[in-house]
Each structure stands twice: as C-alpha cells, then as structure tokens.
Amino acid sequence: MSESGIALPWLVIRQDANGNRYRVGRYATRAEAQSMAERLSGSVAGGAAGADGAGRSAEERRYLVERLRRGNGDHA
C-alpha cells in the first residue's frame, strides 16, 4: 500500500442541504463504498439522529460514492 491511498480509491462523501461535503471513509471497492453509503442513508432515513442530525431528513443529507482520481491528491 502506498501513502497516496491508491489502494483505497473509493470514497463515501456526505453532502448536506447547503452543498457542504465531508469525506466519511475510503474503501478498496465500489461495492464496499456503496454498501456503507446505503447503511448510512438508512440510518438517517430511519430517524436515528446524531448531535448534528436532529430534525434532518434523508433528503437534506446525502451519501455519495465517488472514485478518487489519480493526481487529485487527497481532496474529494
């Protein structure tokens, strides 16, 4: 594995209603990343609210799967 993270090229990104984006995790395969995005989306839709999630619906917070592009550094 290299420092650049090429071994974990799939990202799960949380995007809120204002367009702010936060990297949630990095995964080796798209299937792993998609599974995590679905799990996270389900917990939001199911009404489990964290400290910053009180009163928010699934539409206001989305989990996206993206591939890290080579030469793009660590920025999503």
Side-chain angles (χ1 to χ4, degrees), residues 20-41:
N20 298 312
R21 295 165 53 95
Y22 307 93
R23 186 178 68 210
V24 175
R26 293 175 77 157
Y27 301 89
T29 67
R30 181 182 179 125
E32 288 175 314
Q34 189 65 44
S35 176
M36 180 55 69
E38 289 170 4
R39 286 176 53 199
L40 291 168
S41 292

Side-chain angles (χ1 to χ4, degrees), residues 11-17 20-25 27 30 32-46 48-50 52-53 56-66:
L11 307 173
V12 174
I13 306 292
R14 185 183 89 178
Q15 182 171 318
D16 66 19
N20 298 312
R21 295 165 53 95
Y22 307 93
R23 186 178 68 210
V24 175
Y27 301 89
R30 181 182 179 125
E32 288 175 314
Q34 189 65 44
S35 176
M36 180 55 69
E38 289 170 4
R39 286 176 53 199
L40 291 168
S41 292
S43 69
V44 172
D52 67 342
R56 295 186 184 254
S57 70
E59 293 81 31
E60 293 176 330
R61 190 184 318 161
R62 299 185 313 156
Y63 292 89
L64 311 169
V65 174
E66 297 180 358

Side-chain angles (χ1 to χ4, degrees), residues 1-11 26-30 32 67-68 70:
M1 239 190 287
S2 69
E3 289 285 324
S4 65
I6 298 302
L8 301 172
W10 292 98
L11 307 173
R26 293 175 77 157
Y27 301 89
T29 67
R30 181 182 179 125
E32 288 175 314
R67 185 175 179 97
L68 182 66
R70 181 169 256 177

